[in-house]
Structures are given as C-alpha cells and as structure tokens.
C-alpha cells in the first residue's frame, strides 16, 4: 500500500458546500482506509497545508482552500494545482 498520493486537482466550490473552496481527493477513502476526518501531511503546489482532511459525504475527502492559501498559490476557483499527500 502506497504511503504517498500525488494528483492534479482543481479548486472548486462544490455543490455540497458551495460557500467553501476545496480540492477533492480522488480515491481517498481507499487510501486512508476510512471515510472519517484524517490527519495527513499535505502540500498544494509545494505549499504545506496543515488542516485535517475532511470527508465530503460523497465517499472522498477534501482539502479546504482558504482565501489566504489561494492568494499564496496565486490561484482561484477553477485553477488546477498539484497535490501531494503523505499518510
């Protein structure tokens, strides 16, 4: 079982939480072995993200992307980012 997950994600405002900006983590339930909130080391475009990874309620997890993080990334909703997650 791999201890790292790398993928290209898109910053979105999901239908299930439209006031938030998030990056959905594909296949995260299988990767983490749970559908509950998890702590993991994550980086978005090389910038460390320290929040817990929360369940979407749709079977995956998400990374919350605050306005401050979007500013650091120089990215906004609809932009693609590189994500690295370590268990």
């Amino acid at each position: 079982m791999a201890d790292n997950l790398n993928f290209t994600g898109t910053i979105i405002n999901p239908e299930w939480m439209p006031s938030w900006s998030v990056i959905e983590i594909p296949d995260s339930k299988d990767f983490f072995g749970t559908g509950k909130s998890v702590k993991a080391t994550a980086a978005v475009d090389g910038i460390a993200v320290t929040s817990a990874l929360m369940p979407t309620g749709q079977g995956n997890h998400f990374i919350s992307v605050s306005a401050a993080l979007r500013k650091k990334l120089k990215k906004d909703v609809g932009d693609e980012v590189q994500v690295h997650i370590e268990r």
Side-chain angles (χ1 to χ4, degrees):
M1 182 181 288
D3 288 326
N4 295 300
L5 180 62
N6 296 290
F7 64 96
T8 300
T10 303
I11 301 170
I12 62 169
N13 295 121
E15 290 181 17
W16 43 268
M17 197 179 307
S19 62
W20 285 43
S21 296
V22 306
I23 302 164
E24 289 191 62
I25 305 168
D27 303 318
S28 61
K29 188 172 182 180
D30 291 334
F31 180 73
F32 293 116
T34 183
K36 296 180 181 181
S37 176
V38 294
K39 290 187 179 185
T41 301
V44 177
D45 280 357
I47 296 175
V49 177
T50 57
S51 66
L53 308 179
M54 304 295 293
T56 63
Q58 312 295 315
N60 288 320
H61 293 77
F62 68 89
I63 298 171
S64 176
V65 185
S66 67
L69 178 56
R70 290 193 310 272
K71 187 174 181 178
K72 282 183 189 177
L73 293 169
K74 297 181 180 159
K75 303 270 176 109
D76 208 343
V77 173
D79 291 334
E80 288 190 342
V81 291
Q82 296 300 311
V83 180
H84 175 77
I85 299 173
E86 296 178 13
R87 259 193 289 213

